[in-house]
Amino acid sequence: LGPGAAAEALTRYDAAHLSVTGSTVVISECGSDASPAPPGTGLLGLARAWLIAGARSVVGSRWAAPDDSGGGLFESFYRNLRGGDRGMPVAGALRAAELEMLRSNSWRARPRYWASFIDVGKE
């Protein structure tokens, strides 16, 4: 948010000039359908910018997915990613989280909720 709590966009140029060496970047696009995306700001453009900035991995959504504040995909993803000595690589943690959602026997099992997320990275 900018001055006066006005929404601002982080451009791919802005992202590429940050230093995020070795990090994992998660692009949350739950509100992306609220306005048209400027040219070049799609997932691949933003992922490339974060990789240029030094990220080892970028997780993002290929289409707008429902936001879930509790017990959802990203709670499982982060749990798998951190897992102590058993922590998984980013792609493995995302896959395990997606499988957990698929097997949940709840609304989260629908591919619309979890299948849009991908990992782009250097692993």
Side-chain angles (χ1 to χ4, degrees), residues 82-123:
R82 285 190 303 248
D85 293 336
R86 300 170 299 138
M88 298 179 178
V90 175
L94 182 60
R95 180 180 184 275
E98 290 173 339
L99 287 172
E100 185 177 323
M101 296 303 105
L102 181 62
R103 296 174 181 148
S104 71
N105 292 321
S106 71
W107 64 269
R108 293 183 183 103
R110 288 180 274 172
R112 174 178 173 264
Y113 173 70
W114 55 265
S116 67
F117 294 96
I118 62 170
D119 173 45
V120 178
K122 300 175 182 178
E123 293 182 344

Side-chain angles (χ1 to χ4, degrees), residues 3 9 16 19 35 38-40 45 47 57-58 63-64 67 69 81 90 92 103 110 116 121:
S19 178
S35 62
S57 191
V58 180
W63 61 81
D67 190 18
S69 60
L81 193 60
V90 175
R103 296 174 181 148
R110 288 180 274 172
S116 67

